[in-house]
Amino acid sequence: DGPMPITEPPRIFRLLLVEDDIGRVQNFRAWVPQWIKLVWAQSAGSAIGLIRHDHGHVYGGVLLDHDLAQRAMTTDDVSLSGTDVALTLVENFSIDIPILIHSTNQVQVLRVARQLEDKGFWLTRIPYYDIAESAFLTWLEEAREIWSIARPKS
């Protein structure tokens, strides 16, 4: 009956979904396995707030849209986009957190991808209309493998 051993709490695999289209959100929710915690940011402003709060290694992956005005919650949100979210990711998240850009805005995606790739992020670009569940699950498995070996820096 000695002291209880101290154990580390289990790490929870979380995905940050930055998306303003409820139909897309519902599809991602349907594809994500039950054991994954999907955190939904419905606007650029809410995503930026979450990223600043949950900096470092809180998430195992990010699903990023670019055009995010559909569910803007504040007047500032109207002028923010995935570009602003990407800059906040660069400032707050570890580069070993995989990012899937699923935006269909091909012009802006190139700029956002370059911002993230230049900083060393592991990045995948698949326009939403080209994402099938199997392609998403392949990306998710790769993200989970990276997450399982990545450790927060003390």
Side-chain angles (χ1 to χ4, degrees):
D1 290 340
M4 295 284 293
I6 298 173
T7 59
E8 190 175 314
R11 293 177 69 209
I12 298 169
F13 188 88
R14 292 177 177 88
L15 282 178
L16 176 59
L17 172 58
V18 183
E19 175 59 66
D20 62 340
D21 182 293
I22 191 68
R24 291 180 182 184
V25 171
Q26 289 170 341
N27 281 343
F28 281 119
R29 281 185 175 152
W31 294 343
V32 170
Q34 292 280 334
W35 54 269
I36 293 177
K37 181 169 176 55
L38 185 66
V39 178
W40 176 34
Q42 62 184 321
S43 68
S46 60
I48 289 167
L50 276 170
I51 293 163
R52 287 180 178 154
H53 180 265
D54 295 337
H55 57 86
H57 278 86
V58 172
Y59 296 94
V62 178
L63 306 169
L64 179 61
D65 189 16
H66 183 273
D67 300 339
L68 296 163
Q70 200 177 111
R71 297 182 67 87
M73 295 169 23
T74 66
T75 51
D76 287 342
D77 258 348
V78 176
S79 64
L80 296 173
S81 69
T83 300
D84 303 288
V85 175
L87 292 172
T88 307
L89 286 167
V90 166
E91 294 167 1
N92 292 277
F93 274 22
S94 173
I95 62 170
D96 56 14
I97 297 174
I99 299 171
L100 170 62
I101 299 177
H102 62 272
S103 177
T104 57
N105 182 334
Q106 294 305 307
V107 173
Q108 296 302 324
V109 163
L110 294 174
R111 190 178 74 208
V112 171
R114 192 167 34 254
Q115 288 174 327
L116 294 165
E117 287 171 335
D118 286 352
K119 297 296 182 181
F121 279 87
W122 188 76
L123 188 69
T124 304
R125 290 178 293 175
I126 307 174
Y128 183 79
Y129 48 73
D130 286 340
I131 293 180
E133 183 176 5
S134 60
F136 172 71
L137 292 175
T138 298
W139 175 86
L140 187 58
E141 182 57 31
E142 291 170 355
R144 197 178 69 73
E145 287 175 20
I146 292 168
W147 173 82
S148 69
I149 59 173
R151 293 287 179 251
K153 295 176 178 72
S154 305

